[in-house]
Short mmCIF file of all heavy atoms in Angstrom, two decimals:
data_model
loop_
_atom_site.label_atom_id
_atom_site.label_comp_id
_atom_site.label_asym_id
_atom_site.label_seq_id
_atom_site.Cartn_x
_atom_site.Cartn_y
_atom_site.Cartn_z
N MET P 1 150.24 102.33 109.76
CA MET P 1 149.43 102.39 110.97
C MET P 1 147.96 102.64 110.59
O MET P 1 147.65 103.34 109.64
CB MET P 1 149.91 103.52 111.88
CG MET P 1 151.29 103.27 112.46
SD MET P 1 151.37 101.79 113.47
CE MET P 1 153.13 101.74 113.85
N SER P 2 147.10 102.07 111.37
CA SER P 2 145.67 102.25 111.12
C SER P 2 145.23 103.66 111.49
O SER P 2 145.70 104.23 112.47
CB SER P 2 144.88 101.22 111.91
OG SER P 2 143.49 101.46 111.78
N THR P 3 144.36 104.20 110.68
CA THR P 3 143.86 105.54 110.97
C THR P 3 142.50 105.51 111.63
O THR P 3 141.92 106.55 111.93
CB THR P 3 143.76 106.35 109.66
OG1 THR P 3 142.97 105.64 108.73
CG2 THR P 3 145.13 106.61 109.09
N GLY P 4 141.97 104.31 111.85
CA GLY P 4 140.65 104.21 112.46
C GLY P 4 140.30 102.77 112.73
O GLY P 4 141.04 101.86 112.35
N PRO P 5 139.22 102.56 113.39
CA PRO P 5 138.77 101.20 113.71
C PRO P 5 138.40 100.45 112.44
O PRO P 5 137.83 101.01 111.52
CB PRO P 5 137.55 101.42 114.60
CG PRO P 5 137.05 102.78 114.24
CD PRO P 5 138.29 103.57 113.85
N ALA P 6 138.74 99.20 112.38
CA ALA P 6 138.43 98.38 111.21
C ALA P 6 137.27 97.45 111.51
O ALA P 6 137.32 96.70 112.47
CB ALA P 6 139.65 97.57 110.80
N GLY P 7 136.26 97.55 110.70
CA GLY P 7 135.12 96.66 110.85
C GLY P 7 134.29 96.97 112.07
O GLY P 7 134.76 96.89 113.20
N GLY P 8 133.04 97.32 111.85
CA GLY P 8 132.15 97.62 112.96
C GLY P 8 132.57 98.88 113.70
O GLY P 8 133.58 99.49 113.41
N GLY P 9 131.75 99.25 114.65
CA GLY P 9 132.08 100.42 115.46
C GLY P 9 131.96 101.73 114.71
O GLY P 9 132.40 102.75 115.19
N LEU P 10 131.37 101.67 113.52
CA LEU P 10 131.25 102.89 112.74
C LEU P 10 130.01 103.69 113.13
O LEU P 10 129.96 104.89 112.93
CB LEU P 10 131.17 102.56 111.25
CG LEU P 10 132.47 102.02 110.65
CD1 LEU P 10 132.23 101.47 109.26
CD2 LEU P 10 133.51 103.13 110.59
N GLU P 11 129.05 103.00 113.69
CA GLU P 11 127.83 103.69 114.07
C GLU P 11 128.08 104.58 115.28
O GLU P 11 128.96 104.32 116.09
CB GLU P 11 126.73 102.69 114.40
CG GLU P 11 126.46 101.70 113.30
CD GLU P 11 127.44 100.55 113.35
OE1 GLU P 11 128.03 100.34 114.41
OE2 GLU P 11 127.61 99.89 112.34
N PRO P 12 127.31 105.64 115.42
CA PRO P 12 127.45 106.51 116.59
C PRO P 12 127.16 105.75 117.87
O PRO P 12 126.35 104.84 117.89
CB PRO P 12 126.41 107.60 116.35
CG PRO P 12 125.49 107.07 115.32
CD PRO P 12 126.26 106.09 114.50
N THR P 13 127.85 106.12 118.94
CA THR P 13 127.70 105.42 120.21
C THR P 13 126.69 106.10 121.11
O THR P 13 126.37 105.59 122.17
CB THR P 13 129.05 105.32 120.93
OG1 THR P 13 129.60 106.62 121.06
CG2 THR P 13 130.00 104.43 120.16
N VAL P 14 126.23 107.27 120.71
CA VAL P 14 125.19 107.95 121.47
C VAL P 14 124.06 108.35 120.53
O VAL P 14 124.25 108.50 119.33
CB VAL P 14 125.72 109.21 122.20
CG1 VAL P 14 126.78 108.84 123.21
CG2 VAL P 14 126.24 110.23 121.21
N CYS P 15 122.87 108.52 121.10
CA CYS P 15 121.70 108.88 120.30
C CYS P 15 121.90 110.25 119.66
O CYS P 15 122.34 111.18 120.32
CB CYS P 15 120.47 108.88 121.20
SG CYS P 15 118.97 109.42 120.36
N SER P 16 121.56 110.35 118.37
CA SER P 16 121.71 111.62 117.67
C SER P 16 120.63 112.61 118.07
O SER P 16 120.69 113.79 117.74
CB SER P 16 121.67 111.39 116.15
OG SER P 16 120.43 110.82 115.78
N SER P 17 119.61 112.14 118.77
CA SER P 17 118.51 113.01 119.18
C SER P 17 118.67 113.51 120.60
O SER P 17 118.53 114.69 120.88
CB SER P 17 117.19 112.27 119.02
OG SER P 17 116.12 113.09 119.41
N CYS P 18 118.96 112.57 121.55
CA CYS P 18 119.01 112.96 122.96
C CYS P 18 120.37 112.70 123.59
O CYS P 18 120.56 112.93 124.77
CB CYS P 18 117.91 112.24 123.74
SG CYS P 18 118.24 110.48 123.98
N ALA P 19 121.32 112.17 122.81
CA ALA P 19 122.69 111.93 123.26
C ALA P 19 122.80 110.85 124.33
O ALA P 19 123.81 110.72 125.00
CB ALA P 19 123.35 113.22 123.75
N SER P 20 121.75 110.05 124.48
CA SER P 20 121.82 108.95 125.43
C SER P 20 122.70 107.82 124.89
O SER P 20 122.62 107.50 123.71
CB SER P 20 120.41 108.41 125.70
OG SER P 20 120.49 107.19 126.39
N PRO P 21 123.52 107.24 125.75
CA PRO P 21 124.34 106.09 125.31
C PRO P 21 123.57 104.77 125.37
O PRO P 21 124.13 103.72 125.05
CB PRO P 21 125.50 106.10 126.30
CG PRO P 21 124.91 106.66 127.56
CD PRO P 21 123.83 107.64 127.12
N GLN P 22 122.32 104.82 125.81
CA GLN P 22 121.52 103.59 125.96
C GLN P 22 120.95 103.16 124.61
O GLN P 22 119.75 103.31 124.36
CB GLN P 22 120.40 103.84 126.96
CG GLN P 22 120.87 104.33 128.29
CD GLN P 22 120.89 103.22 129.33
OE1 GLN P 22 120.29 102.18 129.15
NE2 GLN P 22 121.60 103.44 130.41
N LEU P 23 121.80 102.64 123.76
CA LEU P 23 121.36 102.26 122.43
C LEU P 23 121.39 100.76 122.25
O LEU P 23 122.25 100.07 122.78
CB LEU P 23 122.27 102.90 121.38
CG LEU P 23 122.36 104.43 121.39
CD1 LEU P 23 123.32 104.88 120.30
CD2 LEU P 23 121.00 105.05 121.20
N THR P 24 120.43 100.28 121.47
CA THR P 24 120.47 98.90 121.03
C THR P 24 120.88 98.90 119.56
O THR P 24 120.27 99.59 118.75
CB THR P 24 119.08 98.24 121.17
OG1 THR P 24 118.75 98.16 122.54
CG2 THR P 24 119.09 96.84 120.57
N ARG P 25 121.92 98.16 119.25
CA ARG P 25 122.37 98.08 117.86
C ARG P 25 122.15 96.66 117.34
O ARG P 25 122.57 95.70 117.97
CB ARG P 25 123.85 98.47 117.75
CG ARG P 25 124.06 99.95 117.95
CD ARG P 25 125.44 100.34 117.46
NE ARG P 25 126.47 99.81 118.34
CZ ARG P 25 127.02 100.51 119.31
NH1 ARG P 25 126.69 101.74 119.49
NH2 ARG P 25 127.93 99.97 120.08
N LEU P 26 121.51 96.58 116.18
CA LEU P 26 121.17 95.28 115.63
C LEU P 26 121.56 95.21 114.16
O LEU P 26 120.99 95.91 113.34
CB LEU P 26 119.66 95.07 115.79
CG LEU P 26 119.11 93.70 115.44
CD1 LEU P 26 119.65 92.65 116.42
CD2 LEU P 26 117.60 93.73 115.50
N PRO P 27 122.53 94.37 113.83
CA PRO P 27 122.91 94.23 112.42
C PRO P 27 121.80 93.56 111.63
O PRO P 27 121.19 92.59 112.10
CB PRO P 27 124.15 93.32 112.47
CG PRO P 27 124.54 93.24 113.91
CD PRO P 27 123.32 93.52 114.71
N MET P 28 121.52 94.09 110.46
CA MET P 28 120.47 93.52 109.61
C MET P 28 120.95 93.52 108.17
O MET P 28 121.83 94.27 107.79
CB MET P 28 119.20 94.38 109.70
CG MET P 28 118.55 94.42 111.07
SD MET P 28 117.22 95.64 111.14
CE MET P 28 116.23 95.14 109.74
N VAL P 29 120.36 92.63 107.38
CA VAL P 29 120.61 92.64 105.94
C VAL P 29 119.28 92.83 105.23
O VAL P 29 118.36 92.04 105.42
CB VAL P 29 121.27 91.34 105.47
CG1 VAL P 29 121.51 91.38 103.96
CG2 VAL P 29 122.59 91.10 106.21
N LEU P 30 119.18 93.88 104.44
CA LEU P 30 117.94 94.16 103.74
C LEU P 30 117.75 93.18 102.58
O LEU P 30 118.67 92.46 102.21
CB LEU P 30 117.94 95.60 103.22
CG LEU P 30 118.14 96.67 104.29
CD1 LEU P 30 118.04 98.06 103.68
CD2 LEU P 30 117.14 96.51 105.43
N THR P 31 116.54 93.16 102.05
CA THR P 31 116.19 92.21 100.99
C THR P 31 117.12 92.32 99.79
O THR P 31 117.43 91.33 99.14
CB THR P 31 114.74 92.44 100.55
OG1 THR P 31 113.89 92.35 101.70
CG2 THR P 31 114.30 91.39 99.55
N ASP P 32 117.60 93.52 99.52
CA ASP P 32 118.47 93.70 98.35
C ASP P 32 119.94 93.43 98.67
O ASP P 32 120.81 93.62 97.85
CB ASP P 32 118.29 95.10 97.77
CG ASP P 32 118.95 96.17 98.62
OD1 ASP P 32 119.27 95.88 99.79
OD2 ASP P 32 119.14 97.29 98.14
N GLY P 33 120.21 92.97 99.90
CA GLY P 33 121.57 92.59 100.26
C GLY P 33 122.36 93.69 100.96
O GLY P 33 123.50 93.47 101.35
N THR P 34 121.76 94.85 101.15
CA THR P 34 122.43 95.94 101.83
C THR P 34 122.59 95.62 103.32
O THR P 34 121.62 95.30 104.00
CB THR P 34 121.63 97.25 101.70
OG1 THR P 34 121.42 97.54 100.32
CG2 THR P 34 122.37 98.40 102.36
N GLU P 35 123.83 95.68 103.81
CA GLU P 35 124.06 95.45 105.23
C GLU P 35 123.87 96.76 105.98
O GLU P 35 124.49 97.77 105.67
CB GLU P 35 125.48 94.93 105.46
CG GLU P 35 125.68 93.54 104.90
CD GLU P 35 127.03 92.97 105.27
OE1 GLU P 35 127.57 93.38 106.31
OE2 GLU P 35 127.53 92.14 104.50
N VAL P 36 122.99 96.74 106.97
CA VAL P 36 122.69 97.94 107.74
C VAL P 36 122.75 97.63 109.23
O VAL P 36 122.77 96.47 109.63
CB VAL P 36 121.28 98.49 107.40
CG1 VAL P 36 121.16 98.84 105.93
CG2 VAL P 36 120.20 97.50 107.80
N THR P 37 122.83 98.67 110.02
CA THR P 37 122.74 98.51 111.47
C THR P 37 121.54 99.31 111.96
O THR P 37 121.44 100.50 111.72
CB THR P 37 124.02 99.02 112.15
OG1 THR P 37 125.12 98.28 111.66
CG2 THR P 37 123.93 98.83 113.66
N PHE P 38 120.64 98.61 112.62
CA PHE P 38 119.47 99.25 113.19
C PHE P 38 119.83 99.74 114.59
O PHE P 38 120.32 98.98 115.41
CB PHE P 38 118.32 98.25 113.24
CG PHE P 38 117.12 98.72 114.02
CD1 PHE P 38 116.40 99.82 113.61
CD2 PHE P 38 116.71 98.05 115.16
CE1 PHE P 38 115.29 100.25 114.31
CE2 PHE P 38 115.60 98.47 115.87
CZ PHE P 38 114.89 99.56 115.46
N VAL P 39 119.62 101.03 114.84
CA VAL P 39 119.95 101.62 116.13
C VAL P 39 118.68 102.14 116.79
O VAL P 39 117.96 102.94 116.21
CB VAL P 39 120.97 102.77 115.98
CG1 VAL P 39 121.28 103.39 117.34
CG2 VAL P 39 122.25 102.25 115.34
N SER P 40 118.40 101.65 117.99
CA SER P 40 117.21 102.06 118.72
C SER P 40 117.62 102.67 120.05
O SER P 40 118.42 102.11 120.79
CB SER P 40 116.31 100.84 118.95
OG SER P 40 115.24 101.16 119.79
N CYS P 41 117.06 103.84 120.36
CA CYS P 41 117.39 104.53 121.60
C CYS P 41 116.39 104.16 122.70
O CYS P 41 115.19 104.24 122.48
CB CYS P 41 117.40 106.04 121.37
SG CYS P 41 117.68 106.99 122.88
N HIS P 42 116.91 103.77 123.86
CA HIS P 42 116.03 103.40 124.97
C HIS P 42 115.39 104.63 125.61
O HIS P 42 114.31 104.54 126.18
CB HIS P 42 116.82 102.64 126.03
CG HIS P 42 117.19 101.26 125.61
ND1 HIS P 42 116.96 100.15 126.38
CD2 HIS P 42 117.75 100.81 124.47
CE1 HIS P 42 117.37 99.08 125.74
NE2 HIS P 42 117.86 99.45 124.58
N ALA P 43 116.07 105.75 125.53
CA ALA P 43 115.61 106.94 126.23
C ALA P 43 114.48 107.65 125.50
O ALA P 43 113.47 108.01 126.10
CB ALA P 43 116.78 107.89 126.44
N CYS P 44 114.63 107.86 124.20
CA CYS P 44 113.62 108.64 123.46
C CYS P 44 112.95 107.83 122.36
O CYS P 44 112.11 108.34 121.64
CB CYS P 44 114.25 109.90 122.88
SG CYS P 44 115.37 109.60 121.50
N GLU P 45 113.35 106.55 122.23
CA GLU P 45 112.74 105.64 121.26
C GLU P 45 112.97 106.05 119.82
O GLU P 45 112.22 105.67 118.92
CB GLU P 45 111.25 105.45 121.55
CG GLU P 45 111.00 104.86 122.92
CD GLU P 45 109.54 104.48 123.12
OE1 GLU P 45 108.70 104.96 122.36
OE2 GLU P 45 109.26 103.69 124.03
N ARG P 46 113.98 106.88 119.60
CA ARG P 46 114.35 107.21 118.23
C ARG P 46 114.93 105.97 117.55
O ARG P 46 115.65 105.20 118.17
CB ARG P 46 115.38 108.33 118.22
CG ARG P 46 115.81 108.74 116.82
CD ARG P 46 116.89 109.81 116.89
NE ARG P 46 117.40 110.16 115.58
CZ ARG P 46 116.86 111.09 114.80
NH1 ARG P 46 115.84 111.76 115.20
NH2 ARG P 46 117.39 111.34 113.62
N ARG P 47 114.61 105.79 116.29
CA ARG P 47 115.12 104.65 115.55
C ARG P 47 115.81 105.12 114.29
O ARG P 47 115.28 105.95 113.56
CB ARG P 47 113.98 103.69 115.19
CG ARG P 47 113.37 103.05 116.41
CD ARG P 47 112.14 102.28 116.05
NE ARG P 47 111.49 101.73 117.25
CZ ARG P 47 110.33 101.09 117.23
NH1 ARG P 47 109.70 100.93 116.09
NH2 ARG P 47 109.82 100.62 118.34
N GLU P 48 117.00 104.58 114.08
CA GLU P 48 117.75 104.96 112.89
C GLU P 48 118.41 103.74 112.28
O GLU P 48 118.70 102.76 112.95
CB GLU P 48 118.83 105.98 113.25
CG GLU P 48 118.28 107.35 113.56
CD GLU P 48 119.42 108.36 113.71
OE1 GLU P 48 120.09 108.33 114.75
OE2 GLU P 48 119.63 109.16 112.80
N TRP P 49 118.67 103.85 110.99
CA TRP P 49 119.42 102.82 110.30
C TRP P 49 120.69 103.44 109.72
O TRP P 49 120.67 104.55 109.22
CB TRP P 49 118.60 102.22 109.16
CG TRP P 49 117.51 101.31 109.61
CD1 TRP P 49 117.57 99.94 109.64
CD2 TRP P 49 116.19 101.66 110.06
NE1 TRP P 49 116.37 99.44 110.11
CE2 TRP P 49 115.51 100.47 110.36
CE3 TRP P 49 115.54 102.88 110.25
CZ2 TRP P 49 114.20 100.45 110.83
CZ3 TRP P 49 114.23 102.87 110.73
CH2 TRP P 49 113.58 101.66 111.01
N PHE P 50 121.76 102.67 109.80
CA PHE P 50 123.03 103.14 109.25
C PHE P 50 123.59 102.10 108.30
O PHE P 50 123.44 100.90 108.50
CB PHE P 50 124.05 103.40 110.37
CG PHE P 50 123.67 104.57 111.24
CD1 PHE P 50 122.87 104.38 112.36
CD2 PHE P 50 124.09 105.85 110.93
CE1 PHE P 50 122.50 105.45 113.17
CE2 PHE P 50 123.73 106.92 111.73
CZ PHE P 50 122.93 106.72 112.85
N THR P 51 124.25 102.60 107.27
CA THR P 51 124.96 101.71 106.37
C THR P 51 126.35 102.30 106.14
O THR P 51 126.61 103.45 106.47
CB THR P 51 124.22 101.55 105.04
OG1 THR P 51 124.84 100.52 104.27
CG2 THR P 51 124.22 102.84 104.25
N VAL P 52 127.24 101.49 105.59
CA VAL P 52 128.59 101.97 105.32
C VAL P 52 128.69 102.40 103.87
O VAL P 52 128.44 101.62 102.96
CB VAL P 52 129.63 100.88 105.62
CG1 VAL P 52 131.03 101.38 105.29
CG2 VAL P 52 129.54 100.45 107.07
N GLY P 53 129.01 103.66 103.67
CA GLY P 53 129.10 104.21 102.33
C GLY P 53 130.39 103.79 101.64
O GLY P 53 131.24 103.10 102.21
N GLU P 54 130.54 104.23 100.39
CA GLU P 54 131.72 103.85 99.61
C GLU P 54 133.00 104.42 100.20
O GLU P 54 134.09 103.93 99.94
CB GLU P 54 131.55 104.35 98.16
CG GLU P 54 130.42 103.63 97.42
CD GLU P 54 130.32 104.10 95.98
OE1 GLU P 54 131.17 104.91 95.56
OE2 GLU P 54 129.38 103.66 95.29
N ASP P 55 132.87 105.47 100.99
CA ASP P 55 134.03 106.09 101.62
C ASP P 55 134.39 105.39 102.93
O ASP P 55 135.32 105.77 103.62
CB ASP P 55 133.80 107.58 101.87
CG ASP P 55 132.52 107.84 102.66
OD1 ASP P 55 131.89 106.86 103.11
OD2 ASP P 55 132.17 109.01 102.85
N GLY P 56 133.62 104.36 103.29
CA GLY P 56 133.92 103.60 104.50
C GLY P 56 133.37 104.21 105.76
O GLY P 56 133.60 103.69 106.85
N LEU P 57 132.63 105.31 105.61
CA LEU P 57 132.06 105.96 106.78
C LEU P 57 130.58 105.60 106.92
O LEU P 57 129.90 105.37 105.93
CB LEU P 57 132.19 107.48 106.65
CG LEU P 57 133.62 108.01 106.58
CD1 LEU P 57 133.61 109.52 106.35
CD2 LEU P 57 134.39 107.67 107.83
N ALA P 58 130.14 105.52 108.16
CA ALA P 58 128.73 105.21 108.40
C ALA P 58 127.87 106.39 107.97
O ALA P 58 128.22 107.54 108.20
CB ALA P 58 128.52 104.92 109.88
N GLN P 59 126.76 106.07 107.34
CA GLN P 59 125.83 107.13 106.97
C GLN P 59 124.42 106.71 107.32
O GLN P 59 124.05 105.54 107.21
CB GLN P 59 125.95 107.47 105.49
CG GLN P 59 125.85 106.28 104.56
CD GLN P 59 126.12 106.69 103.12
OE1 GLN P 59 125.41 106.30 102.21
NE2 GLN P 59 127.14 107.50 102.91
N SER P 60 123.66 107.69 107.78
CA SER P 60 122.28 107.44 108.17
C SER P 60 121.44 107.10 106.95
O SER P 60 121.62 107.67 105.88
CB SER P 60 121.73 108.67 108.88
OG SER P 60 120.39 108.47 109.23
N LEU P 61 120.54 106.15 107.13
CA LEU P 61 119.69 105.72 106.03
C LEU P 61 118.25 106.12 106.33
O LEU P 61 117.72 105.74 107.36
CB LEU P 61 119.80 104.19 105.92
CG LEU P 61 119.74 103.54 104.55
CD1 LEU P 61 120.80 104.13 103.62
CD2 LEU P 61 119.96 102.04 104.70
N PRO P 62 117.63 106.88 105.44
CA PRO P 62 116.23 107.29 105.66
C PRO P 62 115.33 106.06 105.70
O PRO P 62 115.58 105.08 105.00
CB PRO P 62 115.90 108.17 104.44
CG PRO P 62 117.22 108.55 103.85
CD PRO P 62 118.16 107.44 104.20
N ILE P 63 114.28 106.16 106.51
CA ILE P 63 113.34 105.04 106.63
C ILE P 63 112.76 104.66 105.28
O ILE P 63 112.53 103.48 105.00
CB ILE P 63 112.22 105.39 107.65
CG1 ILE P 63 111.22 104.25 107.77
CG2 ILE P 63 111.51 106.67 107.27
CD1 ILE P 63 111.78 102.97 108.32
N GLU P 64 112.55 105.65 104.42
CA GLU P 64 111.99 105.36 103.11
C GLU P 64 112.91 104.43 102.31
O GLU P 64 112.48 103.53 101.60
CB GLU P 64 111.78 106.65 102.32
CG GLU P 64 110.71 107.58 102.90
CD GLU P 64 111.27 108.45 104.02
OE1 GLU P 64 112.50 108.47 104.20
OE2 GLU P 64 110.48 109.08 104.74
N THR P 65 114.22 104.67 102.45
CA THR P 65 115.19 103.85 101.75
C THR P 65 115.20 102.43 102.30
O THR P 65 115.27 101.46 101.56
CB THR P 65 116.59 104.46 101.87
OG1 THR P 65 116.57 105.79 101.35
CG2 THR P 65 117.62 103.63 101.12
N VAL P 66 115.12 102.33 103.64
CA VAL P 66 115.10 101.01 104.27
C VAL P 66 113.89 100.21 103.81
O VAL P 66 114.01 99.04 103.44
CB VAL P 66 115.08 101.15 105.81
CG1 VAL P 66 114.94 99.78 106.47
CG2 VAL P 66 116.36 101.82 106.29
N LEU P 67 112.75 100.85 103.81
CA LEU P 67 111.52 100.18 103.40
C LEU P 67 111.58 99.77 101.93
O LEU P 67 111.17 98.68 101.55
CB LEU P 67 110.31 101.07 103.65
CG LEU P 67 110.00 101.31 105.12
CD1 LEU P 67 108.81 102.26 105.25
CD2 LEU P 67 109.70 100.01 105.85
N ALA P 68 112.11 100.67 101.10
CA ALA P 68 112.20 100.38 99.66
C ALA P 68 113.11 99.20 99.41
O ALA P 68 112.83 98.35 98.58
CB ALA P 68 112.69 101.61 98.92
N ARG P 69 114.22 99.15 100.15
CA ARG P 69 115.19 98.07 99.93
C ARG P 69 114.77 96.78 100.62
O ARG P 69 115.37 95.74 100.40
CB ARG P 69 116.57 98.50 100.43
CG ARG P 69 117.14 99.63 99.61
CD ARG P 69 118.56 99.92 99.99
NE ARG P 69 119.10 101.02 99.19
CZ ARG P 69 120.38 101.37 99.20
NH1 ARG P 69 121.24 100.74 99.96
NH2 ARG P 69 120.80 102.35 98.45
N SER P 70 113.78 96.87 101.49
CA SER P 70 113.29 95.68 102.18
C SER P 70 112.13 95.04 101.42
O SER P 70 111.75 93.91 101.71
CB SER P 70 112.81 96.04 103.60
OG SER P 70 113.89 96.55 104.35
N ALA P 71 111.58 95.79 100.49
CA ALA P 71 110.42 95.28 99.75
C ALA P 71 110.82 94.17 98.81
O ALA P 71 111.89 94.22 98.19
CB ALA P 71 109.78 96.42 98.96
N LYS P 72 110.00 93.19 98.74
CA LYS P 72 110.27 92.08 97.83
C LYS P 72 109.92 92.49 96.41
O LYS P 72 108.85 93.02 96.15
CB LYS P 72 109.47 90.85 98.24
CG LYS P 72 109.95 90.26 99.54
CD LYS P 72 109.18 89.00 99.88
CE LYS P 72 109.69 88.42 101.20
NZ LYS P 72 108.92 87.21 101.59
N LYS P 73 110.82 92.19 95.51
CA LYS P 73 110.59 92.55 94.12
C LYS P 73 110.00 91.36 93.36
O LYS P 73 110.50 90.25 93.47
CB LYS P 73 111.92 92.96 93.46
CG LYS P 73 112.53 94.18 94.11
CD LYS P 73 113.89 94.49 93.50
CE LYS P 73 114.54 95.67 94.20
NZ LYS P 73 115.90 95.91 93.71
N PRO P 74 108.96 91.63 92.59
CA PRO P 74 108.39 90.57 91.76
C PRO P 74 109.35 90.16 90.66
O PRO P 74 110.07 90.98 90.13
CB PRO P 74 107.12 91.21 91.19
CG PRO P 74 107.40 92.68 91.22
CD PRO P 74 108.27 92.90 92.42
N ARG P 75 109.38 88.89 90.37
CA ARG P 75 110.30 88.43 89.34
C ARG P 75 109.65 88.44 87.97
O ARG P 75 108.51 88.07 87.85
CB ARG P 75 110.77 87.01 89.66
CG ARG P 75 111.55 86.97 90.94
CD ARG P 75 112.30 85.68 91.07
NE ARG P 75 113.15 85.68 92.28
CZ ARG P 75 114.00 84.70 92.57
NH1 ARG P 75 114.12 83.68 91.78
NH2 ARG P 75 114.72 84.77 93.64
ZN1 ZN B 101 117.51 109.14 122.21
#
């Protein structure tokens, strides 16, 4: 039997700042290939990024990490 939802749905369904359910979720792939979900709150405009860790659980990604992984690397 499954112990949890498979694929997607790992991100929080309410804002971690104001607990509003009015969230926009947008799947993105960073330049380095990392699949992330961009979460934007309509109520307080908080923005967060989440990725799936090796344990299969969603984890918040610091903006610094997102920017670093989005930067184009010189060849
Ligand atoms: Zn909020």
Side-chain angles (χ1 to χ4, degrees):
M1 293 299 175
S2 175
T3 55
L10 291 169
E11 305 83 20
T13 55
V14 298
C15 176
S16 61
S17 180
C18 72
S20 168
Q22 304 258 344
L23 301 179
T24 294
R25 288 196 290 263
L26 188 66
M28 296 171 53
V29 180
L30 303 183
T31 304
D32 74 344
T34 304
E35 292 186 27
V36 300
T37 301
F38 171 63
V39 179
S40 173
C41 176
H42 288 230
C44 71
E45 299 189 343
R46 180 183 176 87
R47 294 172 184 175
E48 287 188 285
W49 286 262
F50 292 89
T51 189
V52 179
E54 293 182 5
D55 54 6
L57 298 176
Q59 52 185 225
S60 178
L61 215 56
I63 179 64
E64 294 83 11
T65 302
V66 175
L67 292 177
R69 293 187 180 189
S70 298
K72 291 183 180 178
K73 298 175 183 175
R75 296 195 176 185

